[in-house]
Amino acid sequence: MQNTDPTTPPIDASRATARRQQILCAAAECFREYGFHAASIAKISSIAGMSPGHIYHYFENKEAIIAAIVAQDLESLMTMTAEFRAAANIRTALIERAAEGVADQLDPVSAGLKLEIVAEAARNPHVGQIVREADATCRRELAITIRDIRRTAGHEDSPAAIDDMVEVLACLFEGLLLRTIRNPGLDHSGVALRIQTAISDLLNQPT
Amino acid sequence: MQNTDPTTPPIDASRATARRQQILCAAAECFREYGFHAASIAKISSIAGMSPGHIYHYFENKEAIIAAIVAQDLESLMTMTAEFRAAANIRTALIERAAEGVADQLDPVSAGLKLEIVAEAARNPHVGQIVREADATCRRELAITIRDIRRTAGHEDSPAAIDDMVEVLACLFEGLLLRTIRNPGLDHSGVALRIQTAISDLLNQPT
DNA sequence: TAACATAGAATGAGCGTTCAATCTAGAATA
DNA sequence: TATTCTAGATTGAACGCTCATTCTATGTTA
């Protein structure tokens, strides 16, 4: 990856990466504003500050840009999920982090792109695969976290029961993406509190 | 719906309505498969069994077709919400109907179109307005229902508290639209049961 | 005949993509 | 140092195609 010759500055790799990121950043902006299909290469290239043709030096085609955006967006979700497992007292950590998670989901700008991605996943097999694989990873992490919390509280659940709880937890978070579009005026802190209580109740459900 | 006069064939009004519905039906199919923007008038017209130009006798433009599809989809949601209020014992009705509602939301075909609609609402002001107005109506209905249930159980909540509960209830249902795309293999009946319990817990939350 | 239903070709704009030409800056040479 | 060479970065016009929409002509019915 690194340039071994000291006489030539480390241009290539880092410059190319920066250029790629520049394109992805512009593409995300266009996708948010117009959607995947109405966002044209011409618009993306103009926002990225380069010619349309040059984009094809960094991405094979438009589909590859979409895939990269999707992967980038999901990566942030996965790191967030992984953070839960690192906490010492997991139950408290989960519920306290929930408020933060709720706030993230309620940002209408990023919510629009996330919804666009899932809608695309429903019909584009390539995007669908990326999304489903990332979701499976997140579910695995969340399942372990919930199992540990329930064990500490004295519940011994079947894996299927844990999976169902993961789904309900996911509904609470992901439902917010739709809510913030359908009702932009909702009370953020009030809803966050109610969701924290709902999560707490969920973790106390009978086996 | 039927023409009562046997001498005249059922032309004008009913024929035009049928033609319109034919177009809407074909459009919904295309929108599900390709999304709003990648679904072309040519594809819609071919599925509807008529020429591209003829579609413009029934709709001003493609945007009008999208708006009609959105309005039609939301109408079904609103009648479902209104049904809750008609029930005699509302709490039981709400929770029992929930299982049915969960099943509806988990159909991946209709889920794809619903997500497409909300994603479009995030960037298309016209669609956004239709969606937000329908949502406001649903929230009003749900708020009254929840208020009555809570009153019967002896809670007197502030309107804001009720609104927050409506949002969490909506998250549980609408989150399923994303879940069924991201994890098509989830256990429908298991999740339905957990969600029923979560709704029950939500209705028992402290004021 | 008058009015409407329908078809399908025509139009012009915009799309993703390609590609030959140009620029740029460091390496090599003198 | 001054000049030439070279390879990658970058451009923007051009291509073939599809799009939404319009227009004209042809049934079809009352």
Short mmCIF file of all heavy atoms in Angstrom, two decimals, chain B residues 41-103:
data_model
loop_
_atom_site.label_atom_id
_atom_site.label_comp_id
_atom_site.label_asym_id
_atom_site.label_seq_id
_atom_site.Cartn_x
_atom_site.Cartn_y
_atom_site.Cartn_z
N ILE B 41 -43.01 5.23 -18.01
CA ILE B 41 -44.36 5.26 -18.57
C ILE B 41 -44.53 4.12 -19.57
O ILE B 41 -45.59 3.50 -19.66
CB ILE B 41 -44.63 6.61 -19.25
CG1 ILE B 41 -44.59 7.74 -18.23
CG2 ILE B 41 -45.97 6.59 -19.97
CD1 ILE B 41 -45.77 7.78 -17.31
N ALA B 42 -43.48 3.83 -20.31
CA ALA B 42 -43.54 2.74 -21.29
C ALA B 42 -43.85 1.41 -20.60
O ALA B 42 -44.71 0.65 -21.04
CB ALA B 42 -42.22 2.65 -22.04
N LYS B 43 -43.15 1.13 -19.49
CA LYS B 43 -43.39 -0.13 -18.77
C LYS B 43 -44.79 -0.14 -18.19
O LYS B 43 -45.51 -1.15 -18.28
CB LYS B 43 -42.36 -0.28 -17.64
CG LYS B 43 -41.03 -0.86 -18.10
CD LYS B 43 -40.01 -0.83 -16.95
CE LYS B 43 -38.59 -1.02 -17.47
NZ LYS B 43 -37.59 -0.27 -16.67
N ILE B 44 -45.19 0.95 -17.57
CA ILE B 44 -46.52 1.02 -16.96
C ILE B 44 -47.59 0.81 -18.02
O ILE B 44 -48.53 0.03 -17.84
CB ILE B 44 -46.72 2.38 -16.25
CG1 ILE B 44 -45.77 2.52 -15.07
CG2 ILE B 44 -48.17 2.53 -15.78
CD1 ILE B 44 -45.74 3.90 -14.44
N SER B 45 -47.43 1.48 -19.15
CA SER B 45 -48.46 1.38 -20.20
C SER B 45 -48.52 -0.04 -20.76
O SER B 45 -49.60 -0.55 -21.05
CB SER B 45 -48.17 2.38 -21.31
OG SER B 45 -47.05 1.97 -22.06
N SER B 46 -47.38 -0.68 -20.88
CA SER B 46 -47.38 -2.03 -21.45
C SER B 46 -48.08 -3.00 -20.49
O SER B 46 -48.84 -3.87 -20.92
CB SER B 46 -45.96 -2.47 -21.75
OG SER B 46 -45.59 -3.61 -21.02
N ILE B 47 -47.84 -2.84 -19.17
CA ILE B 47 -48.51 -3.71 -18.20
C ILE B 47 -50.01 -3.38 -18.12
O ILE B 47 -50.84 -4.27 -17.97
CB ILE B 47 -47.84 -3.58 -16.82
CG1 ILE B 47 -46.46 -4.23 -16.85
CG2 ILE B 47 -48.71 -4.23 -15.74
CD1 ILE B 47 -45.74 -4.22 -15.55
N ALA B 48 -50.33 -2.10 -18.26
CA ALA B 48 -51.74 -1.71 -18.22
C ALA B 48 -52.46 -2.08 -19.52
O ALA B 48 -53.68 -1.97 -19.59
CB ALA B 48 -51.86 -0.21 -17.96
N GLY B 49 -51.70 -2.47 -20.51
CA GLY B 49 -52.32 -2.89 -21.77
C GLY B 49 -52.85 -1.74 -22.60
O GLY B 49 -53.90 -1.84 -23.23
N MET B 50 -52.11 -0.65 -22.62
CA MET B 50 -52.51 0.49 -23.47
C MET B 50 -51.27 1.24 -23.93
O MET B 50 -50.17 0.93 -23.50
CB MET B 50 -53.47 1.41 -22.71
CG MET B 50 -52.83 2.15 -21.56
SD MET B 50 -54.02 3.16 -20.64
CE MET B 50 -55.05 1.92 -19.87
N SER B 51 -51.48 2.19 -24.81
CA SER B 51 -50.33 2.91 -25.35
C SER B 51 -49.85 3.96 -24.35
O SER B 51 -50.61 4.43 -23.53
CB SER B 51 -50.73 3.60 -26.65
OG SER B 51 -51.60 4.66 -26.36
N PRO B 52 -48.56 4.32 -24.45
CA PRO B 52 -47.99 5.32 -23.54
C PRO B 52 -48.77 6.63 -23.58
O PRO B 52 -49.09 7.20 -22.54
CB PRO B 52 -46.57 5.52 -24.04
CG PRO B 52 -46.28 4.36 -24.91
CD PRO B 52 -47.56 3.80 -25.40
N GLY B 53 -49.07 7.06 -24.78
CA GLY B 53 -49.77 8.34 -24.92
C GLY B 53 -51.12 8.35 -24.25
O GLY B 53 -51.55 9.36 -23.69
N HIS B 54 -51.79 7.20 -24.27
CA HIS B 54 -53.15 7.15 -23.74
C HIS B 54 -53.20 7.38 -22.23
O HIS B 54 -54.21 7.82 -21.68
CB HIS B 54 -53.78 5.80 -24.09
CG HIS B 54 -55.26 5.78 -23.90
ND1 HIS B 54 -56.06 6.87 -24.21
CD2 HIS B 54 -56.10 4.85 -23.40
CE1 HIS B 54 -57.31 6.57 -23.93
NE2 HIS B 54 -57.37 5.36 -23.43
N ILE B 55 -52.11 7.06 -21.56
CA ILE B 55 -52.07 7.28 -20.11
C ILE B 55 -52.31 8.75 -19.78
O ILE B 55 -52.92 9.09 -18.77
CB ILE B 55 -50.71 6.79 -19.55
CG1 ILE B 55 -50.71 5.26 -19.53
CG2 ILE B 55 -50.45 7.35 -18.16
CD1 ILE B 55 -49.53 4.65 -18.83
N TYR B 56 -51.89 9.62 -20.69
CA TYR B 56 -52.02 11.06 -20.44
C TYR B 56 -53.44 11.56 -20.62
O TYR B 56 -53.72 12.73 -20.43
CB TYR B 56 -51.02 11.83 -21.31
CG TYR B 56 -49.61 11.63 -20.83
CD1 TYR B 56 -48.86 10.52 -21.22
CD2 TYR B 56 -49.04 12.52 -19.93
CE1 TYR B 56 -47.58 10.32 -20.75
CE2 TYR B 56 -47.76 12.32 -19.45
CZ TYR B 56 -47.04 11.22 -19.87
OH TYR B 56 -45.77 11.02 -19.39
N HIS B 57 -54.34 10.69 -21.01
CA HIS B 57 -55.75 11.06 -21.00
C HIS B 57 -56.33 10.95 -19.60
O HIS B 57 -57.36 11.54 -19.30
CB HIS B 57 -56.55 10.17 -21.95
CG HIS B 57 -56.49 10.62 -23.37
ND1 HIS B 57 -57.54 11.25 -24.00
CD2 HIS B 57 -55.49 10.58 -24.26
CE1 HIS B 57 -57.19 11.55 -25.23
NE2 HIS B 57 -55.96 11.15 -25.42
N TYR B 58 -55.66 10.18 -18.75
CA TYR B 58 -56.22 9.92 -17.42
C TYR B 58 -55.38 10.56 -16.31
O TYR B 58 -55.88 10.79 -15.22
CB TYR B 58 -56.32 8.41 -17.19
CG TYR B 58 -57.28 7.77 -18.17
CD1 TYR B 58 -56.82 7.10 -19.29
CD2 TYR B 58 -58.65 7.87 -17.97
CE1 TYR B 58 -57.70 6.54 -20.19
CE2 TYR B 58 -59.55 7.31 -18.87
CZ TYR B 58 -59.07 6.64 -19.97
OH TYR B 58 -59.94 6.09 -20.86
N PHE B 59 -54.12 10.83 -16.59
CA PHE B 59 -53.28 11.49 -15.60
C PHE B 59 -52.48 12.59 -16.28
O PHE B 59 -51.99 12.41 -17.39
CB PHE B 59 -52.33 10.48 -14.94
CG PHE B 59 -53.04 9.48 -14.08
CD1 PHE B 59 -53.43 8.26 -14.60
CD2 PHE B 59 -53.34 9.77 -12.76
CE1 PHE B 59 -54.11 7.34 -13.82
CE2 PHE B 59 -54.01 8.86 -11.97
CZ PHE B 59 -54.40 7.64 -12.50
N GLU B 60 -52.36 13.69 -15.57
CA GLU B 60 -51.69 14.85 -16.14
C GLU B 60 -50.23 14.53 -16.45
O GLU B 60 -49.71 14.91 -17.49
CB GLU B 60 -51.78 16.02 -15.15
CG GLU B 60 -51.46 17.37 -15.78
CD GLU B 60 -51.32 18.45 -14.71
OE1 GLU B 60 -51.78 18.24 -13.57
OE2 GLU B 60 -50.72 19.50 -15.03
N ASN B 61 -49.59 13.85 -15.54
CA ASN B 61 -48.20 13.46 -15.75
C ASN B 61 -47.84 12.35 -14.77
O ASN B 61 -48.68 11.88 -14.01
CB ASN B 61 -47.27 14.66 -15.60
CG ASN B 61 -47.54 15.40 -14.29
OD1 ASN B 61 -47.89 14.78 -13.29
ND2 ASN B 61 -47.38 16.70 -14.30
N LYS B 62 -46.57 11.95 -14.79
CA LYS B 62 -46.14 10.83 -13.96
C LYS B 62 -46.28 11.16 -12.47
O LYS B 62 -46.65 10.31 -11.66
CB LYS B 62 -44.69 10.50 -14.30
CG LYS B 62 -44.22 9.18 -13.74
CD LYS B 62 -42.77 8.92 -14.17
CE LYS B 62 -42.18 7.76 -13.39
NZ LYS B 62 -40.75 7.57 -13.72
N GLU B 63 -45.96 12.38 -12.13
CA GLU B 63 -46.08 12.83 -10.73
C GLU B 63 -47.49 12.61 -10.20
O GLU B 63 -47.68 12.21 -9.05
CB GLU B 63 -45.71 14.32 -10.65
CG GLU B 63 -46.04 15.00 -9.34
CD GLU B 63 -44.87 14.98 -8.36
OE1 GLU B 63 -43.75 14.59 -8.76
OE2 GLU B 63 -45.10 15.34 -7.19
N ALA B 64 -48.50 12.85 -11.05
CA ALA B 64 -49.89 12.66 -10.63
C ALA B 64 -50.18 11.18 -10.35
O ALA B 64 -50.94 10.85 -9.44
CB ALA B 64 -50.84 13.19 -11.69
N ILE B 65 -49.56 10.31 -11.12
CA ILE B 65 -49.73 8.87 -10.87
C ILE B 65 -49.12 8.51 -9.52
O ILE B 65 -49.71 7.80 -8.71
CB ILE B 65 -49.08 8.04 -11.99
CG1 ILE B 65 -49.69 8.41 -13.35
CG2 ILE B 65 -49.25 6.55 -11.73
CD1 ILE B 65 -49.09 7.64 -14.52
N ILE B 66 -47.91 9.03 -9.27
CA ILE B 66 -47.26 8.78 -7.99
C ILE B 66 -48.14 9.26 -6.85
O ILE B 66 -48.38 8.54 -5.88
CB ILE B 66 -45.88 9.48 -7.95
CG1 ILE B 66 -44.93 8.85 -8.97
CG2 ILE B 66 -45.29 9.43 -6.55
CD1 ILE B 66 -43.56 9.52 -9.03
N ALA B 67 -48.66 10.47 -6.98
CA ALA B 67 -49.50 11.03 -5.92
C ALA B 67 -50.73 10.16 -5.68
O ALA B 67 -51.12 9.92 -4.53
CB ALA B 67 -49.91 12.45 -6.28
N ALA B 68 -51.32 9.66 -6.77
CA ALA B 68 -52.52 8.83 -6.63
C ALA B 68 -52.19 7.52 -5.92
O ALA B 68 -52.95 7.05 -5.06
CB ALA B 68 -53.11 8.55 -8.00
N ILE B 69 -51.04 6.94 -6.26
CA ILE B 69 -50.62 5.69 -5.61
C ILE B 69 -50.39 5.93 -4.12
O ILE B 69 -50.81 5.15 -3.27
CB ILE B 69 -49.31 5.17 -6.25
CG1 ILE B 69 -49.56 4.71 -7.69
CG2 ILE B 69 -48.70 4.07 -5.41
CD1 ILE B 69 -50.09 3.30 -7.80
N VAL B 70 -49.72 7.03 -3.82
CA VAL B 70 -49.44 7.36 -2.42
C VAL B 70 -50.75 7.53 -1.65
O VAL B 70 -50.93 6.95 -0.57
CB VAL B 70 -48.60 8.65 -2.34
CG1 VAL B 70 -48.50 9.14 -0.91
CG2 VAL B 70 -47.22 8.41 -2.90
N ALA B 71 -51.68 8.31 -2.22
CA ALA B 71 -52.95 8.55 -1.54
C ALA B 71 -53.71 7.25 -1.34
O ALA B 71 -54.28 7.00 -0.27
CB ALA B 71 -53.79 9.53 -2.36
N GLN B 72 -53.68 6.39 -2.35
CA GLN B 72 -54.39 5.11 -2.26
C GLN B 72 -53.81 4.23 -1.17
O GLN B 72 -54.53 3.62 -0.38
CB GLN B 72 -54.29 4.40 -3.62
CG GLN B 72 -55.11 3.16 -3.75
CD GLN B 72 -55.05 2.62 -5.18
OE1 GLN B 72 -55.96 2.83 -5.97
NE2 GLN B 72 -53.96 1.95 -5.52
N ASP B 73 -52.48 4.20 -1.08
CA ASP B 73 -51.82 3.39 -0.07
C ASP B 73 -52.14 3.90 1.33
O ASP B 73 -52.39 3.12 2.25
CB ASP B 73 -50.31 3.41 -0.31
CG ASP B 73 -49.56 2.53 0.67
OD1 ASP B 73 -49.23 3.01 1.78
OD2 ASP B 73 -49.33 1.36 0.35
N LEU B 74 -52.14 5.20 1.50
CA LEU B 74 -52.37 5.77 2.82
C LEU B 74 -53.82 5.60 3.26
O LEU B 74 -54.11 5.49 4.45
CB LEU B 74 -51.99 7.26 2.82
CG LEU B 74 -50.50 7.52 2.61
CD1 LEU B 74 -50.22 9.01 2.55
CD2 LEU B 74 -49.69 6.89 3.74
N GLU B 75 -54.72 5.57 2.29
CA GLU B 75 -56.13 5.41 2.63
C GLU B 75 -56.37 4.11 3.37
O GLU B 75 -57.11 4.06 4.35
CB GLU B 75 -56.98 5.46 1.36
CG GLU B 75 -58.38 5.99 1.58
CD GLU B 75 -59.01 6.44 0.26
OE1 GLU B 75 -58.30 7.08 -0.54
OE2 GLU B 75 -60.18 6.12 0.05
N SER B 76 -55.69 3.05 2.92
CA SER B 76 -55.87 1.76 3.59
C SER B 76 -55.35 1.82 5.02
O SER B 76 -55.93 1.23 5.94
CB SER B 76 -55.16 0.66 2.80
OG SER B 76 -53.76 0.75 3.00
N LEU B 77 -54.26 2.55 5.22
CA LEU B 77 -53.72 2.71 6.58
C LEU B 77 -54.72 3.45 7.48
O LEU B 77 -54.94 3.06 8.63
CB LEU B 77 -52.42 3.52 6.51
CG LEU B 77 -51.81 3.92 7.86
CD1 LEU B 77 -51.26 2.71 8.58
CD2 LEU B 77 -50.72 4.97 7.67
N MET B 78 -55.34 4.46 6.90
CA MET B 78 -56.24 5.28 7.71
C MET B 78 -57.52 4.53 8.10
O MET B 78 -58.01 4.69 9.21
CB MET B 78 -56.57 6.57 6.97
CG MET B 78 -55.36 7.50 6.93
SD MET B 78 -55.61 8.95 5.90
CE MET B 78 -57.06 9.65 6.64
N THR B 79 -58.03 3.72 7.20
CA THR B 79 -59.22 2.95 7.57
C THR B 79 -58.87 1.95 8.67
O THR B 79 -59.66 1.72 9.58
CB THR B 79 -59.80 2.20 6.36
OG1 THR B 79 -58.76 1.42 5.77
CG2 THR B 79 -60.33 3.18 5.32
N MET B 80 -57.66 1.37 8.59
CA MET B 80 -57.25 0.43 9.63
C MET B 80 -57.17 1.13 10.98
O MET B 80 -57.67 0.61 11.99
CB MET B 80 -55.89 -0.18 9.27
CG MET B 80 -55.55 -1.43 10.06
SD MET B 80 -53.80 -1.87 9.91
CE MET B 80 -53.05 -0.83 11.16
N THR B 81 -56.59 2.30 10.99
CA THR B 81 -56.49 3.04 12.24
C THR B 81 -57.87 3.37 12.79
O THR B 81 -58.12 3.26 14.00
CB THR B 81 -55.71 4.36 12.00
OG1 THR B 81 -54.56 4.09 11.23
CG2 THR B 81 -55.31 4.98 13.33
N ALA B 82 -58.77 3.76 11.89
CA ALA B 82 -60.11 4.16 12.34
C ALA B 82 -60.87 2.98 12.94
O ALA B 82 -61.69 3.16 13.85
CB ALA B 82 -60.88 4.75 11.16
N GLU B 83 -60.58 1.77 12.46
CA GLU B 83 -61.29 0.59 12.95
C GLU B 83 -61.12 0.40 14.46
O GLU B 83 -62.02 -0.05 15.14
CB GLU B 83 -60.80 -0.66 12.23
CG GLU B 83 -61.50 -0.90 10.90
CD GLU B 83 -60.91 -2.11 10.18
OE1 GLU B 83 -60.33 -2.98 10.86
OE2 GLU B 83 -61.04 -2.16 8.95
N PHE B 84 -59.93 0.75 14.94
CA PHE B 84 -59.65 0.58 16.36
C PHE B 84 -60.70 1.29 17.22
O PHE B 84 -61.18 0.76 18.22
CB PHE B 84 -58.26 1.13 16.72
CG PHE B 84 -57.15 0.25 16.25
CD1 PHE B 84 -55.98 0.80 15.75
CD2 PHE B 84 -57.26 -1.13 16.30
CE1 PHE B 84 -54.94 -0.02 15.32
CE2 PHE B 84 -56.22 -1.95 15.88
CZ PHE B 84 -55.07 -1.39 15.39
N ARG B 85 -61.05 2.49 16.81
CA ARG B 85 -61.94 3.30 17.63
C ARG B 85 -63.34 2.72 17.69
O ARG B 85 -64.12 3.01 18.60
CB ARG B 85 -62.03 4.73 17.08
CG ARG B 85 -60.72 5.42 17.00
CD ARG B 85 -60.60 6.72 17.80
NE ARG B 85 -61.82 7.42 18.10
CZ ARG B 85 -62.42 7.36 19.27
NH1 ARG B 85 -61.90 6.61 20.23
NH2 ARG B 85 -63.50 8.04 19.50
N ALA B 86 -63.68 1.90 16.70
CA ALA B 86 -65.05 1.36 16.66
C ALA B 86 -65.25 0.22 17.65
O ALA B 86 -66.36 -0.07 18.05
CB ALA B 86 -65.37 0.89 15.24
N ALA B 87 -64.15 -0.41 18.05
CA ALA B 87 -64.27 -1.60 18.89
C ALA B 87 -64.87 -1.27 20.26
O ALA B 87 -64.73 -0.17 20.77
CB ALA B 87 -62.90 -2.24 19.07
N ALA B 88 -65.51 -2.26 20.85
CA ALA B 88 -66.19 -2.06 22.14
C ALA B 88 -65.16 -1.97 23.28
O ALA B 88 -64.95 -0.92 23.87
CB ALA B 88 -67.18 -3.18 22.39
N ASN B 89 -64.49 -3.06 23.54
CA ASN B 89 -63.40 -3.02 24.53
C ASN B 89 -62.11 -2.67 23.80
O ASN B 89 -61.49 -3.51 23.16
CB ASN B 89 -63.27 -4.37 25.23
CG ASN B 89 -62.17 -4.33 26.28
OD1 ASN B 89 -61.26 -3.50 26.20
ND2 ASN B 89 -62.23 -5.22 27.24
N ILE B 90 -61.71 -1.44 23.90
CA ILE B 90 -60.67 -0.95 23.01
C ILE B 90 -59.29 -1.57 23.30
O ILE B 90 -58.55 -1.85 22.38
CB ILE B 90 -60.54 0.57 23.06
CG1 ILE B 90 -61.87 1.21 23.44
CG2 ILE B 90 -60.15 1.07 21.70
CD1 ILE B 90 -61.85 2.70 23.38
N ARG B 91 -59.00 -1.75 24.56
CA ARG B 91 -57.67 -2.26 24.88
C ARG B 91 -57.46 -3.64 24.26
O ARG B 91 -56.48 -3.89 23.58
CB ARG B 91 -57.48 -2.33 26.40
CG ARG B 91 -56.06 -2.69 26.80
CD ARG B 91 -55.95 -2.80 28.32
NE ARG B 91 -54.66 -2.32 28.81
CZ ARG B 91 -53.55 -3.04 28.79
NH1 ARG B 91 -53.55 -4.24 28.26
NH2 ARG B 91 -52.43 -2.53 29.26
N THR B 92 -58.40 -4.52 24.53
CA THR B 92 -58.30 -5.86 23.96
C THR B 92 -58.29 -5.80 22.44
O THR B 92 -57.50 -6.50 21.78
CB THR B 92 -59.49 -6.71 24.42
OG1 THR B 92 -59.66 -6.53 25.82
CG2 THR B 92 -59.26 -8.17 24.12
N ALA B 93 -59.16 -4.95 21.89
CA ALA B 93 -59.24 -4.83 20.43
C ALA B 93 -57.90 -4.40 19.85
O ALA B 93 -57.41 -4.99 18.88
CB ALA B 93 -60.32 -3.83 20.05
N LEU B 94 -57.30 -3.40 20.47
CA LEU B 94 -56.03 -2.88 19.97
C LEU B 94 -54.98 -3.98 19.93
O LEU B 94 -54.30 -4.19 18.92
CB LEU B 94 -55.55 -1.72 20.87
CG LEU B 94 -54.28 -1.02 20.41
CD1 LEU B 94 -54.53 -0.22 19.15
CD2 LEU B 94 -53.73 -0.11 21.50
N ILE B 95 -54.89 -4.71 21.04
CA ILE B 95 -53.83 -5.71 21.13
C ILE B 95 -54.12 -6.91 20.23
O ILE B 95 -53.21 -7.48 19.63
CB ILE B 95 -53.64 -6.13 22.60
CG1 ILE B 95 -53.04 -4.94 23.37
CG2 ILE B 95 -52.72 -7.33 22.71
CD1 ILE B 95 -52.89 -5.15 24.84
N GLU B 96 -55.40 -7.25 20.11
CA GLU B 96 -55.72 -8.37 19.23
C GLU B 96 -55.52 -8.01 17.77
O GLU B 96 -55.00 -8.80 16.99
CB GLU B 96 -57.16 -8.85 19.47
CG GLU B 96 -57.26 -9.82 20.65
CD GLU B 96 -58.70 -10.22 20.94
OE1 GLU B 96 -59.60 -9.78 20.20
OE2 GLU B 96 -58.91 -10.96 21.92
N ARG B 97 -55.94 -6.80 17.40
CA ARG B 97 -55.74 -6.35 16.03
C ARG B 97 -54.26 -6.20 15.69
O ARG B 97 -53.86 -6.23 14.54
CB ARG B 97 -56.46 -5.01 15.78
CG ARG B 97 -57.95 -5.11 15.46
CD ARG B 97 -58.17 -5.86 14.14
NE ARG B 97 -57.34 -5.38 13.06
CZ ARG B 97 -57.75 -4.62 12.08
NH1 ARG B 97 -58.99 -4.23 12.04
NH2 ARG B 97 -56.92 -4.25 11.12
N ALA B 98 -53.45 -6.00 16.73
CA ALA B 98 -52.02 -5.80 16.51
C ALA B 98 -51.41 -6.97 15.75
O ALA B 98 -50.62 -6.76 14.82
CB ALA B 98 -51.30 -5.60 17.84
N ALA B 99 -51.81 -8.18 16.11
CA ALA B 99 -51.26 -9.36 15.44
C ALA B 99 -51.54 -9.29 13.94
O ALA B 99 -50.65 -9.57 13.11
CB ALA B 99 -51.86 -10.62 16.03
N GLU B 100 -52.75 -8.88 13.62
CA GLU B 100 -53.14 -8.73 12.22
C GLU B 100 -52.28 -7.65 11.55
O GLU B 100 -51.77 -7.83 10.44
CB GLU B 100 -54.61 -8.32 12.17
CG GLU B 100 -55.45 -9.01 11.12
CD GLU B 100 -56.92 -8.68 11.36
OE1 GLU B 100 -57.41 -8.92 12.48
OE2 GLU B 100 -57.54 -8.13 10.43
N GLY B 101 -52.15 -6.52 12.25
CA GLY B 101 -51.35 -5.42 11.73
C GLY B 101 -49.90 -5.83 11.49
O GLY B 101 -49.31 -5.48 10.47
N VAL B 102 -49.35 -6.58 12.42
CA VAL B 102 -47.97 -7.06 12.27
C VAL B 102 -47.85 -7.90 11.01
O VAL B 102 -46.93 -7.72 10.21
CB VAL B 102 -47.54 -7.87 13.51
CG1 VAL B 102 -46.22 -8.59 13.24
CG2 VAL B 102 -47.40 -6.96 14.72
N ALA B 103 -48.80 -8.80 10.81
CA ALA B 103 -48.77 -9.66 9.62
C ALA B 103 -48.79 -8.83 8.34
O ALA B 103 -48.03 -9.09 7.40
CB ALA B 103 -49.95 -10.64 9.64
#
